[in-house]
Amino acid sequence: MLDPFPVPPPRLLVQTTTPLASALALPTLPLHIHELLFATLTYHLICAYVSPILSRRLFPNIYPNLPRRTRLNWDVHVVSLFQSIFVCAAALWVMAVDDERRHMDWKERIWGYTGGGGMIQAFAAGYFLWDLQICLRYFGVFGIGLLMHAVAALVVFSLGFRPFVNFYGPTFILYELSSPFLNFHWFFDKLQMTGSRAQWYNGILLLASFFCCRLLWGTYQSLRVYQDCWAALHVQNTTTLPSFITPAASTSNLPAHNNNPTGIPEMMQQATDNAGIMRFHPEPQDNIPTWLALTYLGSNVVLNTLNFYWFGKMMETVKKRFRAPPAKGKKEEEGEEEEEEEVPDVVVEGVELDGRVVEDGAPVGGEGTDGGVVGAQDKEETDGELRRRRRSEKS
């Protein structure tokens, strides 16, 4: 499949990127560098300009009154919402129309390349490049955890430019199908719709999509990539590739062609047979370096483990958010003593606490608070009065 992006890579950009691509052993990077940079720039413009302007017009009574830290999170969630919808739609389209991808064997799934798969890799890498600079710029807001996630994700998707498991780029990007519902869940909290019917329906869709896309689909595809990598690690290199598969030429000194201003030869732009798919794997061997397999598979195991952990946490959050309160006096009638629930030291932003929404670590708004913050001393006095009242009622 040809690269479906309507704009070819500029020749100057290809020539500038080629030395870095050669040093990092990423020969297809120059073919998609313009898509990677286009994605990064698009996400930056949405976060810095589009989201603040639209949010002020659509939510004039909410967005301008949010703390600066929360407005930044709002804009980041807008980018995440746009990216997840766009890249998943593009991945599904590539998987539907790329006939070469559909008929790949394990060698081509490991070492093969198509333009459509390379485009998806570029869009994903562009997003995580933007995410990396956001985490570095606002390190105090996002912390070391999200910074390491951005670094790891950028490295993993960049391996697709070797190319390595280019086939699985559109496959694993479908993890993002659950992200729109996750972002909507966050927005419902900020729009004072916590516990609403709309958030309930969205929560059901979030859990269903997360379970199907990340746990079922993701685990199944992980087993497939493990199987392909196992075959590549243990293959006996007794055969050589056909002579017509030649090493990929450096794009920095390629002559310009008619209707091809980038200077990239037709062989590098077309993938109509096995030779085209495997043209970036000229070595007469099919096994993969152990470090490459361990890096990719190790990252995959970590992400899958986190997906199962997050799903459990999401289930707990939804149950707590929508669990009906116990009937008044029910426990007294049964002769049971109520256990006092300790208030955790750390509260999660957006979670309701005694009818008040937690914002930036402090509860704000809500009934009975006058928009202020309940202090620790007032909290202790309130708890003390409640305990004395309970003891007097029991006596």
Side-chain angles (χ1 to χ4, degrees):
M1 180 182 181
L2 300 178
D3 186 347
F5 196 72
V7 180
R11 180 180 177 84
L12 179 61
L13 190 58
V14 170
Q15 294 176 339
T16 304
T17 311
T18 297
L20 176 63
S22 300
L24 298 177
L26 304 175
T28 66
L29 177 61
L31 304 180
H32 299 281
I33 185 62
H34 61 307
E35 297 161 351
L36 188 155
L37 296 179
F38 172 78
T40 302
L41 178 61
T42 299
Y43 300 139
H44 170 72
L45 293 177
I46 292 175
C47 183
Y49 301 102
V50 177
S51 175
I53 294 174
L54 289 182
S55 299
R56 290 179 186 276
R57 292 184 178 182
L58 295 176
F59 309 101
N61 298 324
I62 295 179
Y63 181 83
N65 298 322
L66 294 174
R68 182 174 179 271
R69 177 192 182 105
T70 307
R71 289 200 304 270
L72 172 62
N73 270 299
W74 178 295
D75 297 332
V76 169
H77 276 276
V78 170
V79 175
S80 175
L81 177 62
F82 172 82
Q83 185 266 349
S84 59
I85 295 175
F86 167 73
V87 77
C88 286
L92 288 171
W93 178 77
V94 168
M95 294 172 69
V97 302
D98 192 348
D99 291 332
E100 295 166 329
R101 182 182 182 278
R102 192 176 298 112
H103 299 95
M104 286 183 176
D105 58 21
W106 73 263
K107 294 181 182 179
E108 293 163 344
R109 289 195 295 267
I110 291 291
W111 299 116
Y113 165 84
T114 66
M119 182 188 70
I120 300 300
Q121 294 275 2
F123 287 152
Y127 172 76
F128 288 112
L129 180 61
W130 169 84
D131 189 30
L132 176 61
Q133 66 88 19
I134 283 289
C135 291
L136 289 173
R137 183 178 179 183
Y138 301 102
F139 180 80
V141 176
F142 298 104
I144 187 64
L146 290 179
L147 175 62
M148 297 306 296
H149 176 270
V151 172
L154 180 60
V155 170
V156 169
F157 276 100
S158 296
L159 290 176
F161 296 118
R162 289 183 66 91
F164 176 69
V165 294
N166 177 267
F167 171 90
Y168 288 100
T171 299
F172 286 116
I173 207 66
L174 294 184
Y175 277 12
E176 295 296 317
L177 284 172
S178 63
S179 294
F181 304 107
L182 181 62
N183 287 302
F184 282 132
H185 187 83
W186 189 91
F187 284 124
F188 280 133
D189 285 336
K190 299 300 172 285
L191 295 176
Q192 302 175 6
M193 297 177 64
T194 300
S196 64
R197 186 176 297 272
Q199 192 180 49
W200 165 252
Y201 291 141
N202 180 80
I204 295 175
L205 293 174
L206 169 59
L207 292 176
S209 61
F210 194 98
F211 179 78
C212 293
C213 297
R214 299 196 178 220
L215 303 190
L216 293 183
W217 171 262
T219 301
Y220 169 69
Q221 294 299 331
S222 295
L223 293 176
R224 291 192 62 192
V225 75
Y226 297 160
Q227 185 180 25
D228 289 343
C229 288
W230 180 267
L233 281 170
H234 296 83
V235 67
Q236 298 294 329
N237 295 310
T238 57
T239 60
T240 60
L241 297 180
S243 59
F244 52 78
I245 304 180
T246 57
S250 172
T251 57
S252 60
N253 54 7
L254 295 174
H257 292 256
N258 293 334
N259 300 322
N260 186 10
T262 63
I264 301 175
E266 294 298 326
M267 192 195 82
M268 298 182 66
Q269 289 188 339
Q270 297 180 359
T272 58
D273 53 18
N274 181 274
I277 292 174
M278 298 291 287
R279 64 186 178 274
F280 291 104
H281 181 59
E283 295 84 359
Q285 59 182 19
D286 298 315
N287 57 0
I288 59 178
T290 302
W291 70 266
L292 182 58
L294 292 179
T295 300
Y296 188 87
L297 298 182
S299 301
N300 194 276
V301 169
V302 171
L303 291 176
N304 282 332
T305 303
L306 287 174
N307 284 332
F308 279 92
Y309 172 78
W310 289 333
F311 185 76
K313 290 296 183 181
M314 289 163 58
M315 291 289 291
E316 294 178 4
T317 300
V318 170
K319 289 180 180 179
K320 291 180 180 178
R321 185 70 59 87
F322 297 100
R323 181 183 293 134
K328 186 176 181 180
K330 181 177 180 181
K331 291 188 176 181
E332 285 78 359
E333 294 177 359
E334 297 176 355
E336 298 178 1
E337 295 184 359
E338 296 184 5
E339 296 182 358
E340 296 182 12
E341 182 178 358
E342 296 183 359
V343 178
D345 295 333
V346 180
V347 291
V348 180
E349 184 179 14
V351 177
E352 282 193 350
L353 178 63
D354 298 333
R356 290 159 286 127
V357 176
V358 174
E359 196 70 80
D360 291 334
V364 298
E367 297 181 359
T369 64
D370 296 329
V373 178
V374 179
Q377 182 178 359
D378 296 334
K379 183 73 171 67
E380 293 176 358
E381 293 177 358
T382 303
D383 292 342
E385 293 176 0
L386 180 61
R387 285 192 292 269
R388 287 193 296 271
R389 190 182 304 113
R390 288 177 177 174
R391 285 195 294 268
S392 63
E393 290 176 355
K394 293 178 181 179
S395 61

